[in-house]
Coordinates of all heavy atoms in Angstrom, one line a residue:
M1 N 56.5 -25.0 3.8 CA 56.7 -26.2 4.5 C 56.3 -27.4 3.7 O 55.2 -27.4 3.0 CB 55.8 -26.1 5.8 CG 55.7 -27.4 6.6 SD 54.6 -27.3 8.0 CE 55.7 -27.2 9.3
A2 N 57.1 -28.4 3.6 CA 56.9 -29.6 2.9 C 55.7 -30.4 3.6 O 55.7 -30.5 4.8 CB 58.1 -30.4 2.8
R3 N 54.9 -30.9 2.8 CA 53.8 -31.7 3.3 C 54.1 -33.1 3.5 O 54.8 -33.7 2.6 CB 52.5 -31.5 2.4 CG 52.0 -30.1 2.4 CD 50.7 -30.0 1.8 NE 50.3 -28.6 1.9 CZ 49.6 -28.0 1.0 NH1 49.3 -28.6 -0.1 NH2 49.3 -26.8 1.1
S4 N 53.8 -33.7 4.6 CA 54.2 -35.1 4.8 C 53.0 -36.0 4.4 O 51.9 -35.6 4.2 CB 54.5 -35.3 6.3 OG 53.3 -35.2 7.1
T5 N 53.3 -37.3 4.4 CA 52.3 -38.2 4.1 C 51.3 -38.3 5.2 O 50.2 -38.8 5.1 CB 52.9 -39.7 3.8 OG1 53.7 -40.1 4.9 CG2 53.7 -39.6 2.5
Q6 N 51.7 -37.9 6.4 CA 50.8 -37.9 7.6 C 49.9 -36.7 7.6 O 48.9 -36.8 8.3 CB 51.7 -38.0 8.9 CG 52.4 -39.3 9.1 CD 53.3 -39.3 10.3 OE1 53.5 -38.3 10.9 NE2 53.7 -40.5 10.7
N7 N 50.2 -35.7 6.9 CA 49.4 -34.5 6.9 C 49.5 -33.9 5.5 O 50.0 -32.8 5.2 CB 50.0 -33.5 7.9 CG 49.1 -32.2 8.0 OD1 48.0 -32.2 7.5 ND2 49.6 -31.2 8.7
P8 N 48.9 -34.6 4.5 CA 49.0 -34.2 3.1 C 48.4 -32.9 2.7 O 48.7 -32.2 1.8 CB 48.4 -35.4 2.3 CG 47.5 -36.0 3.3 CD 48.1 -35.8 4.7
L9 N 47.4 -32.5 3.5 CA 46.7 -31.2 3.2 C 47.4 -30.0 3.8 O 47.1 -28.8 3.6 CB 45.3 -31.2 3.7 CG 44.4 -32.2 3.0 CD1 43.0 -32.2 3.6 CD2 44.3 -32.0 1.5
G10 N 48.4 -30.2 4.7 CA 49.0 -29.2 5.4 C 48.2 -28.5 6.5 O 48.3 -27.3 6.8
L11 N 47.2 -29.3 7.1 CA 46.4 -28.8 8.2 C 47.2 -28.3 9.4 O 48.0 -29.1 9.8 CB 45.4 -29.8 8.6 CG 44.3 -29.4 9.6 CD1 43.4 -28.4 9.1 CD2 43.5 -30.7 10.1
C12 N 47.0 -27.1 9.8 CA 47.7 -26.6 11.0 C 47.0 -26.1 12.1 O 47.5 -25.5 13.0 CB 48.8 -25.6 10.5 SG 48.2 -24.1 9.8
G13 N 45.6 -26.2 12.0 CA 44.8 -25.8 13.2 C 43.4 -25.5 12.8 O 42.9 -25.6 11.7
I14 N 42.6 -25.1 13.9 CA 41.2 -24.7 13.7 C 41.1 -23.2 13.8 O 41.6 -22.6 14.8 CB 40.4 -25.4 14.8 CG1 40.4 -26.9 14.6 CG2 38.9 -24.9 14.7 CD1 39.8 -27.7 15.7
A15 N 40.6 -22.5 12.8 CA 40.4 -21.1 12.8 C 39.3 -20.7 13.7 O 39.4 -19.7 14.5 CB 40.2 -20.6 11.4
F16 N 38.2 -21.4 13.7 CA 37.0 -21.1 14.5 C 36.1 -22.2 14.6 O 36.1 -23.1 13.8 CB 36.3 -19.9 13.9 CG 35.6 -20.1 12.6 CD1 34.4 -20.6 12.5 CD2 36.3 -19.7 11.5 CE1 33.8 -20.8 11.3 CE2 35.7 -20.0 10.2 CZ 34.5 -20.5 10.2
V17 N 35.2 -22.2 15.6 CA 34.1 -23.1 15.7 C 32.8 -22.3 15.8 O 32.7 -21.4 16.6 CB 34.2 -24.0 17.0 CG1 33.1 -24.9 17.2 CG2 35.6 -24.8 17.0
E18 N 31.9 -22.6 14.9 CA 30.7 -21.8 14.9 C 29.5 -22.6 15.5 O 29.3 -23.7 15.2 CB 30.3 -21.6 13.4 CG 29.0 -20.7 13.2 CD 28.7 -20.4 11.8 OE1 29.3 -21.0 10.9 OE2 27.9 -19.5 11.5
F19 N 28.8 -21.9 16.5 CA 27.7 -22.5 17.2 C 26.4 -21.8 16.8 O 26.4 -20.7 16.4 CB 27.9 -22.3 18.7 CG 29.0 -23.0 19.3 CD1 30.3 -22.6 19.3 CD2 28.7 -24.2 20.0 CE1 31.4 -23.3 19.8 CE2 29.8 -24.9 20.5 CZ 31.1 -24.5 20.5
A20 N 25.3 -22.5 16.9 CA 24.0 -22.0 16.6 C 23.0 -22.7 17.6 O 23.3 -23.8 18.1 CB 23.6 -22.2 15.2
G21 N 21.9 -22.1 17.8 CA 20.9 -22.7 18.7 C 19.7 -21.7 18.9 O 19.8 -20.5 18.6
P22 N 18.7 -22.2 19.5 CA 17.5 -21.3 19.7 C 17.6 -20.3 20.8 O 16.8 -19.4 20.9 CB 16.4 -22.3 20.0 CG 17.1 -23.5 20.6 CD 18.4 -23.6 19.9
D23 N 18.7 -20.4 21.7 CA 18.8 -19.5 22.8 C 20.3 -18.9 22.9 O 21.1 -19.4 23.6 CB 18.5 -20.2 24.1 CG 18.4 -19.3 25.3 OD1 18.7 -18.1 25.1 OD2 18.1 -19.8 26.4
P24 N 20.6 -17.9 22.0 CA 21.9 -17.4 22.0 C 22.4 -16.8 23.4 O 23.5 -16.8 23.7 CB 21.9 -16.3 21.0 CG 20.6 -16.3 20.4 CD 19.7 -17.3 21.0
A25 N 21.4 -16.3 24.2 CA 21.7 -15.7 25.5 C 22.3 -16.8 26.4 O 23.2 -16.6 27.2 CB 20.5 -15.1 26.1
M26 N 21.8 -18.1 26.3 CA 22.3 -19.2 27.1 C 23.7 -19.5 26.7 O 24.6 -19.7 27.5 CB 21.4 -20.4 26.9 CG 21.8 -21.6 27.6 SD 22.9 -22.8 26.8 CE 22.0 -23.1 25.2
M27 N 24.0 -19.5 25.4 CA 25.4 -19.7 24.9 C 26.3 -18.6 25.3 O 27.5 -18.9 25.8 CB 25.4 -19.9 23.4 CG 24.9 -21.2 23.0 SD 25.1 -21.6 21.2 CE 23.6 -20.8 20.6
D28 N 25.9 -17.4 25.3 CA 26.7 -16.2 25.8 C 27.0 -16.5 27.3 O 28.2 -16.3 27.7 CB 25.9 -14.9 25.7 CG 26.6 -13.7 26.2 OD1 27.5 -13.2 25.5 OD2 26.3 -13.3 27.4
K29 N 26.1 -16.9 28.1 CA 26.3 -17.1 29.5 C 27.3 -18.2 29.7 O 28.3 -18.1 30.6 CB 25.0 -17.4 30.2 CG 25.1 -17.6 31.7 CD 23.7 -17.8 32.3 CE 23.8 -18.0 33.8 NZ 22.5 -18.2 34.4
I30 N 27.2 -19.3 29.0 CA 28.1 -20.4 29.1 C 29.5 -20.1 28.7 O 30.5 -20.4 29.4 CB 27.5 -21.7 28.4 CG1 26.3 -22.2 29.1 CG2 28.6 -22.8 28.2 CD1 25.6 -23.3 28.3
F31 N 29.6 -19.5 27.5 CA 31.0 -19.1 27.0 C 31.7 -18.2 28.0 O 32.9 -18.3 28.3 CB 30.9 -18.5 25.7 CG 30.5 -19.4 24.6 CD1 30.1 -19.0 23.4 CD2 30.5 -20.8 24.7 CE1 29.7 -19.8 22.4 CE2 30.2 -21.7 23.8 CZ 29.8 -21.2 22.5
K32 N 30.9 -17.2 28.6 CA 31.6 -16.3 29.5 C 31.9 -17.0 30.8 O 33.0 -16.7 31.4 CB 30.6 -15.1 29.8 CG 30.6 -14.1 28.6 CD 29.6 -13.0 28.9 CE 29.6 -12.0 27.7 NZ 28.6 -11.0 27.9
A33 N 31.1 -18.0 31.2 CA 31.5 -18.8 32.4 C 32.7 -19.6 32.2 O 33.5 -19.9 33.2 CB 30.3 -19.7 32.8
F34 N 33.0 -20.0 31.0 CA 34.2 -20.8 30.6 C 35.4 -19.8 30.4 O 36.5 -20.3 30.1 CB 34.0 -21.6 29.4 CG 33.2 -22.9 29.6 CD1 32.3 -23.3 28.7 CD2 33.4 -23.7 30.8 CE1 31.5 -24.4 28.9 CE2 32.7 -24.8 31.0 CZ 31.7 -25.2 30.0
G35 N 35.2 -18.5 30.6 CA 36.4 -17.6 30.5 C 36.5 -16.9 29.1 O 37.5 -16.3 28.9
F36 N 35.5 -17.1 28.2 CA 35.6 -16.5 26.9 C 35.1 -15.1 27.0 O 34.3 -14.8 27.8 CB 34.7 -17.3 25.9 CG 35.4 -18.5 25.4 CD1 35.3 -19.7 26.1 CD2 36.1 -18.5 24.2 CE1 35.9 -20.9 25.7 CE2 36.7 -19.7 23.8 CZ 36.6 -20.9 24.6
S37 N 35.6 -14.2 26.2 CA 35.2 -12.8 26.1 C 34.5 -12.5 24.8 O 35.0 -13.0 23.7 CB 36.4 -11.8 26.2 OG 37.0 -12.1 27.5
R38 N 33.4 -11.8 24.8 CA 32.7 -11.4 23.6 C 33.5 -10.2 23.0 O 33.5 -9.2 23.7 CB 31.3 -11.1 23.9 CG 30.5 -10.8 22.6 CD 29.0 -10.7 22.9 NE 28.4 -10.2 21.8 CZ 27.1 -10.0 21.7 NH1 26.3 -10.4 22.7 NH2 26.5 -9.5 20.6
R39 N 34.1 -10.4 21.9 CA 35.0 -9.4 21.4 C 34.3 -8.4 20.4 O 34.6 -7.3 20.3 CB 36.2 -10.0 20.7 CG 37.1 -10.7 21.7 CD 37.8 -9.8 22.6 NE 38.6 -10.5 23.5 CZ 39.0 -10.0 24.6 NH1 38.7 -8.8 25.0 NH2 39.8 -10.7 25.4
L40 N 33.5 -9.0 19.5 CA 32.8 -8.1 18.5 C 31.6 -8.8 17.9 O 31.4 -10.0 18.2 CB 33.8 -7.8 17.4 CG 34.5 -9.0 16.6 CD1 33.8 -9.2 15.3 CD2 36.0 -8.6 16.4
R41 N 30.9 -8.1 17.1 CA 29.8 -8.6 16.4 C 30.1 -8.3 14.9 O 30.5 -7.3 14.6 CB 28.5 -7.9 16.8 CG 27.3 -8.5 16.0 CD 26.0 -7.9 16.5 NE 25.6 -8.4 17.8 CZ 25.1 -9.6 18.0 NH1 25.0 -10.5 17.0 NH2 24.7 -10.0 19.2
V42 N 29.9 -9.3 14.0 CA 30.2 -9.2 12.6 C 29.2 -8.1 12.1 O 28.0 -8.2 12.3 CB 30.0 -10.5 11.9 CG1 30.2 -10.4 10.4 CG2 31.0 -11.5 12.4
A43 N 29.7 -7.2 11.3 CA 28.9 -6.0 10.8 C 27.8 -6.4 10.0 O 26.7 -5.8 10.1 CB 29.8 -5.0 10.1
D44 N 28.0 -7.3 9.0 CA 26.9 -7.6 8.1 C 26.1 -8.8 8.3 O 25.3 -9.3 7.5 CB 27.5 -7.6 6.6 CG 28.6 -8.6 6.4 OD1 29.0 -9.2 7.5 OD2 28.9 -8.8 5.3
A45 N 26.3 -9.4 9.5 CA 25.5 -10.7 9.9 C 25.3 -10.6 11.4 O 26.1 -10.0 12.1 CB 26.3 -11.9 9.5
D46 N 24.3 -11.3 11.9 CA 24.1 -11.4 13.3 C 24.9 -12.5 13.9 O 24.4 -13.5 14.3 CB 22.6 -11.6 13.6 CG 22.2 -11.3 15.0 OD1 23.0 -10.8 15.8 OD2 21.0 -11.5 15.3
V47 N 26.2 -12.2 14.0 CA 27.2 -13.2 14.5 C 28.1 -12.6 15.6 O 28.7 -11.5 15.3 CB 28.1 -13.7 13.3 CG1 29.1 -14.7 13.9 CG2 27.2 -14.4 12.3
A48 N 28.1 -13.1 16.7 CA 29.0 -12.7 17.8 C 30.3 -13.5 17.8 O 30.2 -14.7 17.6 CB 28.3 -12.8 19.1
V49 N 31.4 -12.8 18.1 CA 32.7 -13.5 18.2 C 33.2 -13.5 19.6 O 33.3 -12.4 20.3 CB 33.7 -12.8 17.3 CG1 35.1 -13.5 17.3 CG2 33.2 -12.8 15.8
Y50 N 33.5 -14.7 20.1 CA 34.1 -14.9 21.4 C 35.5 -15.4 21.3 O 35.7 -16.2 20.4 CB 33.3 -15.9 22.3 CG 31.8 -15.4 22.5 CD1 30.9 -15.6 21.6 CD2 31.5 -14.9 23.8 CE1 29.6 -15.1 21.8 CE2 30.2 -14.5 24.0 CZ 29.2 -14.6 23.1 OH 27.9 -14.2 23.3
D51 N 36.4 -15.0 22.2 CA 37.7 -15.7 22.1 C 38.3 -15.8 23.5 O 37.9 -15.2 24.5 CB 38.7 -14.9 21.2 CG 39.1 -13.5 21.7 OD1 38.7 -13.2 22.8 OD2 39.7 -12.8 21.0
Q52 N 39.3 -16.7 23.6 CA 40.1 -17.0 24.8 C 41.4 -17.4 24.3 O 41.5 -18.5 23.7 CB 39.4 -18.0 25.7 CG 40.2 -18.2 27.0 CD 39.6 -19.3 27.8 OE1 40.1 -20.5 27.6 NE2 38.7 -19.0 28.6
G53 N 42.4 -16.6 24.3 CA 43.7 -16.9 23.7 C 43.6 -17.1 22.3 O 43.0 -16.3 21.5
A54 N 44.0 -18.3 21.7 CA 43.9 -18.6 20.3 C 42.6 -19.2 19.9 O 42.4 -19.5 18.7 CB 45.1 -19.4 19.9
I55 N 41.7 -19.5 20.9 CA 40.5 -20.2 20.6 C 39.4 -19.2 20.2 O 39.2 -18.2 20.9 CB 40.0 -21.0 21.8 CG1 41.1 -22.0 22.2 CG2 38.7 -21.7 21.5 CD1 40.8 -22.7 23.5
R56 N 38.7 -19.3 19.1 CA 37.7 -18.4 18.6 C 36.4 -19.2 18.4 O 36.4 -20.1 17.6 CB 38.2 -17.7 17.3 CG 37.1 -16.7 16.8 CD 37.7 -15.9 15.7 NE 38.7 -15.0 16.2 CZ 39.9 -14.9 15.6 NH1 40.2 -15.5 14.6 NH2 40.8 -14.1 16.2
F57 N 35.3 -18.7 19.1 CA 34.0 -19.3 18.9 C 33.1 -18.2 18.3 O 33.2 -17.0 18.6 CB 33.3 -19.7 20.2 CG 33.9 -20.9 20.9 CD1 33.5 -21.1 22.2 CD2 34.7 -21.8 20.3 CE1 34.0 -22.3 22.8 CE2 35.2 -22.9 20.8 CZ 34.9 -23.2 22.2
L58 N 32.2 -18.6 17.3 CA 31.3 -17.7 16.8 C 29.9 -18.2 17.2 O 29.6 -19.4 17.2 CB 31.3 -17.8 15.2 CG 32.7 -17.4 14.6 CD1 32.9 -18.1 13.3 CD2 32.8 -15.9 14.4
V59 N 29.0 -17.3 17.5 CA 27.6 -17.6 17.7 C 26.8 -17.0 16.7 O 26.7 -15.7 16.6 CB 27.1 -17.2 19.2 CG1 25.6 -17.5 19.3 CG2 27.9 -17.9 20.2
N60 N 26.2 -17.8 15.8 CA 25.5 -17.2 14.6 C 24.0 -17.2 15.0 O 23.4 -18.2 15.3 CB 25.7 -18.1 13.4 CG 25.2 -17.5 12.2 OD1 24.2 -16.8 12.1 ND2 25.8 -17.8 11.0
Q61 N 23.4 -15.9 15.0 CA 22.1 -15.7 15.3 C 21.3 -15.2 14.1 O 20.1 -14.7 14.2 CB 21.9 -14.7 16.4 CG 22.7 -15.1 17.7 CD 22.8 -14.0 18.7 OE1 21.8 -13.4 19.1 NE2 24.0 -13.6 19.0
D62 N 21.9 -15.2 12.9 CA 21.3 -14.7 11.6 C 20.2 -15.6 11.3 O 20.3 -16.8 10.9 CB 22.4 -14.7 10.6 CG 22.0 -14.0 9.3 OD1 20.8 -13.8 9.1 OD2 22.8 -13.5 8.6
S63 N 19.0 -15.0 11.2 CA 17.7 -15.9 11.1 C 17.6 -16.4 9.6 O 16.7 -17.2 9.4 CB 16.5 -15.1 11.5 OG 16.4 -13.9 10.6
V64 N 18.4 -16.0 8.7 CA 18.2 -16.4 7.3 C 19.4 -17.3 6.9 O 19.8 -17.4 5.8 CB 18.0 -15.3 6.3 CG1 16.7 -14.7 6.5 CG2 19.1 -14.3 6.4
S65 N 20.1 -17.9 7.9 CA 21.4 -18.6 7.6 C 21.2 -20.1 7.8 O 20.2 -20.6 8.4 CB 22.5 -18.1 8.5 OG 22.2 -18.6 9.9
F66 N 22.1 -20.9 7.2 CA 22.1 -22.3 7.5 C 22.3 -22.6 8.9 O 21.6 -23.5 9.4 CB 23.4 -22.9 6.7 CG 23.7 -24.3 7.2 CD1 23.0 -25.4 6.7 CD2 24.7 -24.5 8.1 CE1 23.2 -26.7 7.2 CE2 25.0 -25.8 8.6 CZ 24.3 -26.9 8.1
A67 N 23.1 -21.8 9.7 CA 23.3 -22.0 11.1 C 21.9 -21.9 11.8 O 21.7 -22.7 12.8 CB 24.3 -20.9 11.6
H68 N 21.1 -20.9 11.5 CA 19.8 -20.8 12.2 C 19.0 -22.1 12.0 O 18.4 -22.6 12.9 CB 19.1 -19.6 11.6 CG 17.7 -19.4 12.2 ND1 17.5 -18.9 13.5 CD2 16.5 -19.7 11.7 CE1 16.3 -18.9 13.8 NE2 15.6 -19.3 12.7
R69 N 18.9 -22.5 10.7 CA 18.1 -23.7 10.5 C 18.7 -25.0 11.2 O 17.9 -25.7 11.8 CB 18.0 -24.0 8.9 CG 17.2 -22.9 8.2 CD 17.1 -23.3 6.7 NE 18.3 -23.4 6.0 CZ 19.0 -22.5 5.5 NH1 18.7 -21.2 5.6 NH2 20.1 -22.7 4.8
F70 N 20.0 -25.1 11.2 CA 20.7 -26.2 11.9 C 20.4 -26.1 13.4 O 20.1 -27.1 14.0 CB 22.2 -26.1 11.6 CG 22.9 -27.3 12.1 CD1 23.2 -28.4 11.2 CD2 23.4 -27.4 13.3 CE1 23.8 -29.5 11.6 CE2 24.2 -28.5 13.7 CZ 24.4 -29.6 12.8
G71 N 20.5 -24.9 14.0 CA 20.3 -24.8 15.4 C 18.8 -25.0 15.8 O 18.5 -25.6 16.9
Q72 N 17.9 -24.6 14.9 CA 16.4 -24.9 15.2 C 16.2 -26.5 15.2 O 15.4 -27.0 15.9 CB 15.6 -24.2 14.2 CG 15.6 -22.7 14.3 CD 15.1 -22.2 15.7 OE1 14.0 -22.7 16.1 NE2 15.8 -21.3 16.2
L73 N 16.9 -27.1 14.3 CA 16.7 -28.6 14.1 C 17.4 -29.4 15.2 O 16.8 -30.3 15.7 CB 17.2 -29.0 12.7 CG 17.0 -30.5 12.4 CD1 15.5 -30.9 12.3 CD2 17.6 -30.7 11.0
H74 N 18.6 -29.0 15.6 CA 19.4 -29.8 16.5 C 19.6 -29.2 17.9 O 20.3 -29.8 18.7 CB 20.8 -30.0 15.8 CG 20.8 -30.7 14.5 ND1 20.5 -32.0 14.4 CD2 21.0 -30.3 13.3 CE1 20.6 -32.4 13.2 NE2 20.8 -31.3 12.4
G75 N 19.1 -28.0 18.1 CA 19.4 -27.3 19.4 C 20.8 -26.7 19.5 O 21.4 -26.6 18.4
P76 N 21.2 -26.3 20.6 CA 22.6 -25.7 20.7 C 23.6 -26.7 20.2 O 23.7 -27.8 20.8 CB 22.7 -25.4 22.2 CG 21.5 -25.7 22.9 CD 20.6 -26.5 21.9
S77 N 24.4 -26.3 19.2 CA 25.3 -27.3 18.6 C 26.3 -26.5 17.8 O 26.2 -25.4 17.4 CB 24.5 -28.3 17.8 OG 23.7 -27.6 16.8
I78 N 27.3 -27.3 17.3 CA 28.3 -26.7 16.4 C 27.8 -27.0 15.0 O 27.4 -28.1 14.7 CB 29.7 -27.5 16.5 CG1 30.3 -27.2 17.9 CG2 30.6 -27.1 15.4 CD1 31.5 -28.1 18.3
C79 N 27.7 -25.9 14.2 CA 27.1 -26.0 12.9 C 28.2 -25.9 11.8 O 27.9 -26.3 10.7 CB 26.0 -24.9 12.7 SG 26.6 -23.3 12.9
S80 N 29.4 -25.4 12.2 CA 30.5 -25.4 11.2 C 31.8 -25.1 11.9 O 31.8 -24.7 13.1 CB 30.3 -24.4 10.1 OG 30.4 -23.0 10.6
M81 N 32.9 -25.4 11.2 CA 34.3 -25.1 11.7 C 35.1 -24.5 10.5 O 34.9 -24.9 9.3 CB 34.9 -26.4 12.1 CG 34.2 -27.1 13.3 SD 34.9 -28.6 13.8 CE 36.2 -28.1 14.8
G82 N 36.0 -23.7 10.9 CA 37.0 -23.2 9.9 C 38.4 -23.8 10.2 O 38.7 -23.9 11.4
W83 N 39.1 -24.1 9.1 CA 40.4 -24.8 9.3 C 41.5 -23.9 8.8 O 41.3 -23.2 7.8 CB 40.3 -26.1 8.5 CG 39.2 -27.0 9.0 CD1 38.0 -27.1 8.5 CD2 39.3 -27.9 10.1 NE1 37.2 -28.0 9.1 CE2 38.0 -28.6 10.2 CE3 40.2 -28.3 11.0 CZ2 37.7 -29.5 11.1 CZ3 39.9 -29.3 12.0 CH2 38.6 -29.8 12.0
C84 N 42.7 -24.0 9.4 CA 43.9 -23.3 9.0 C 44.8 -24.3 8.2 O 44.9 -25.5 8.7 CB 44.6 -22.7 10.1 SG 43.8 -21.5 11.1
F85 N 45.4 -23.9 7.1 CA 46.3 -24.7 6.4 C 47.6 -23.9 6.2 O 47.7 -22.7 6.2 CB 45.7 -25.0 5.0 CG 44.5 -25.9 5.1 CD1 43.2 -25.3 5.2 CD2 44.6 -27.2 5.1 CE1 42.0 -26.1 5.4 CE2 43.4 -28.0 5.2 CZ 42.2 -27.5 5.3
D86 N 48.7 -24.6 5.9 CA 50.0 -24.0 5.6 C 49.9 -23.0 4.4 O 50.5 -22.0 4.4 CB 51.0 -25.1 5.2 CG 51.4 -26.0 6.4 OD1 51.2 -25.5 7.5 OD2 51.9 -27.1 6.2
D87 N 49.1 -23.4 3.4 CA 49.0 -22.6 2.1 C 47.7 -22.0 2.0 O 46.7 -22.6 1.7 CB 49.4 -23.4 1.0 CG 49.5 -22.7 -0.3 OD1 49.3 -21.5 -0.3 OD2 49.6 -23.3 -1.4

């Protein structure tokens, strides 16, 4: 796909939104109330994956991660996002 001047990077979507916070059980309850399903847990990290259609949320509970430090400092929040590109 040719890149336009309006989208020079070829951005085509968000792959995931990663959340962190001091109370992952609260985030689990909220995401499920919004209709998300907990699909899996990442094998080598304490990260749960929720989805609804093409929307994917991660809840990072890994105590030695940037997400953990960010969540402790800011409370329940988005600590990172993954982006999709044409290439």
Side-chain angles (χ1 to χ4, degrees):
M1 174 184 250
R3 295 190 178 146
S4 73
T5 56
Q6 293 178 342
N7 187 9
L9 297 177
L11 181 66
C12 61
I14 298 172
F16 66 86
V17 178
E18 182 178 12
F19 291 82
D23 188 359
M26 179 267 308
M27 286 188 270
D28 177 80
K29 184 177 178 179
I30 289 172
F31 290 163
K32 287 178 178 174
F34 283 140
F36 284 83
S37 298
R38 185 173 169 175
R39 296 291 181 200
L40 58 99
R41 181 174 286 287
V42 176
D44 58 349
D46 196 5
V47 177
V49 179
Y50 296 79
D51 68 7
Q52 183 185 92
I55 303 169
R56 181 169 295 133
F57 287 168
L58 303 151
V59 176
N60 192 328
Q61 303 169 57
D62 191 337
S63 64
V64 293
S65 67
F66 166 80
H68 177 75
R69 293 186 304 276
F70 191 91
Q72 293 298 313
L73 183 63
H74 299 286
S77 51
I78 294 172
C79 59
S80 72
M81 298 175 86
W83 304 91
C84 296
F85 296 89
D86 289 337
D87 185 3

